[in-house]
């Protein structure tokens, strides 16, 4: 039966159904790096053209924050893809649509791509991405969809110390992991770190996926402390 389904699926894909009906067709096979909690890896998630688009928009980088302040725990540089030309770049939108197709989490529930660059010696110490209250307007950060945009020459792995999972940064690869448990309490098991880059440059992008619509309250200028989000208007 499985073989039959695979043949059928291949036939539909050859007929162009992946492009016509991307929300239904499962285009990307994932590698299961861990099962409870799920850490899924998607190889070749990004095309070279899409990676180039992210790189083109990686201008005006500023020092990253951890939570809402500068911290010795996070020494990278970053920018939010929250204004044009990054925001409405069709290639960037296409990547986001792919995230929607895989996760089933609507576009509006996502923050904006946060592009992060690490030079040698830069890192992000172990932390948990969930930072937003369950009773806030936007709800918790359910999960993280994480993109690798540039492979450093040495160092720069993503490490989940509680699970013993280590992922080498590799341009084009994507990861998806949960930040909360079913009852929306923080899942400490998915604590993770960006290990120091030793040589070369590592470029990545975070996309944090919320329980509720993030973009509408953000666009209407709601008080972000009240909505429990990390992105601050003075960073834009
Ligand atoms: O760069 C990495 O490997 C992880 C980065 C990270 O955890 C973050 O930016 O929240
Ligand atoms: Fe993180």
């Amino acid at each position: 039966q499985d073989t039959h389904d695979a043949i059928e699926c291949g036939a539909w894909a050859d007929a162009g159904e992946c492009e016509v009906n991307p929300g239904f067709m499962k285009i990307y096979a994932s590698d299961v790096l861990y099962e409870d909690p799920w850490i899924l890896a998607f190889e070749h998630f990004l095309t070279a053209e899409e990676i180039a688009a992210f790189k083109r928009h990686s201008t005006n980088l500023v020092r990253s924050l951890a939570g809402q302040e500068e911290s010795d725990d996070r020494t990278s540089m970053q920018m939010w893809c929250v204004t044009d030309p990054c925001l409405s770049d069709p290639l960037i939108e296409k990547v986001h649509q792919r995230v929607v197709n895989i996760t089933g989490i609507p576009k509006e529930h996502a923050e904006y791509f946060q592009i992060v660059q690490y030079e040698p010696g830069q890192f992000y110490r172990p932390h948990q991405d969930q930072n937003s209250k369950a009773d806030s307007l936007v709800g918790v950060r359910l999960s993280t969809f994480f993109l690798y945009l540039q492979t450093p020459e040495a160092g720069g792995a993503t490490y989940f110390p509680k699970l013993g999972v280590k992922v080498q940064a590799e341009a084009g690869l994507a990861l998806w992991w949960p930040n909360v448990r079913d009852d929306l309490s923080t899942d400490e098991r998915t604590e993770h770190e960006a290990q120091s880059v030793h040589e070369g440059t590592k470029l990545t992008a975070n996309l944090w996926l919320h329980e509720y619509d993030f973009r509408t309250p953000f666009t209407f200028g709601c008080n972000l402390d009240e909505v429990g989000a990390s992105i601050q208007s003075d960073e834009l």
Side-chain angles (χ1 to χ4, degrees), residues 64 74 76 78 114 116 118 123-125 127-129 141 144 146-148 156-159 167 169 175 177 192-195 202-206 208:
S64 295
R74 191 185 198 197
S76 50
Q78 69 170 59
Q114 181 193 55
V116 189
Y118 299 80
F123 53 78
Y124 192 177
R125 299 281 188 230
H127 64 278
Q128 227 286 347
D129 288 345
R141 272 179 172 170
T144 299
F146 190 70
L147 310 178
Y148 296 92
T158 306
Y159 182 53
V167 181
L175 297 183
W177 70 81
H192 54 279
E193 70 175 308
Q195 296 188 328
K202 172 185 171 190
L203 194 69
T204 65
N206 286 295
W208 287 300

Side-chain angles (χ1 to χ4, degrees), residues 42-59 61 77-81 86 89 91-96 98-99 112-118 145-153 155-158 167-175 197 200-207:
F42 302 85
E43 278 185 51
H44 309 296
F45 181 78
L46 300 164
T47 65
E49 204 188 11
E50 290 160 356
I51 289 174
F54 277 102
K55 286 188 177 167
R56 219 171 24 249
H57 296 303
S58 306
T59 53
L61 301 173
M77 300 290 285
Q78 69 170 59
M79 64 155 289
W80 291 96
C81 179
C86 187
D89 183 324
L91 287 165
I92 306 284
E93 289 195 334
K94 197 169 158 194
V95 172
H96 194 164
R98 194 172 302 137
V99 174
Y112 298 86
F113 284 109
Q114 181 193 55
I115 304 174
V116 189
Q117 177 186 286
Y118 299 80
F145 209 95
F146 190 70
L147 310 178
Y148 296 92
L149 303 169
Q150 184 168 320
T151 315
E153 274 144 49
T158 306
V167 181
Q168 293 302 332
E170 184 199 326
L173 177 72
L175 297 183
V197 167
T201 300
K202 172 185 171 190
L203 194 69
T204 65
N206 286 295
L207 189 65

Side-chain angles (χ1 to χ4, degrees), residues 144-192:
T144 299
F145 209 95
F146 190 70
L147 310 178
Y148 296 92
L149 303 169
Q150 184 168 320
T151 315
E153 274 144 49
T158 306
Y159 182 53
F160 296 78
K162 303 239 163 82
L163 309 174
V165 172
K166 189 189 274 206
V167 181
Q168 293 302 332
E170 184 199 326
L173 177 72
L175 297 183
W176 183 31
W177 70 81
N179 297 314
V180 295
R181 293 190 183 242
D182 290 351
D183 66 359
L184 301 182
S185 64
T186 301
D187 192 339
E188 302 297 345
R189 298 172 301 173
T190 51
E191 182 187 285
H192 54 279

Side-chain angles (χ1 to χ4, degrees), residues 216-231:
T216 304
F218 179 82
T219 305
F220 277 94
C222 295
N223 179 323
L224 295 177
D225 284 335
E226 256 166 49
V227 302
S230 71
I231 183 170

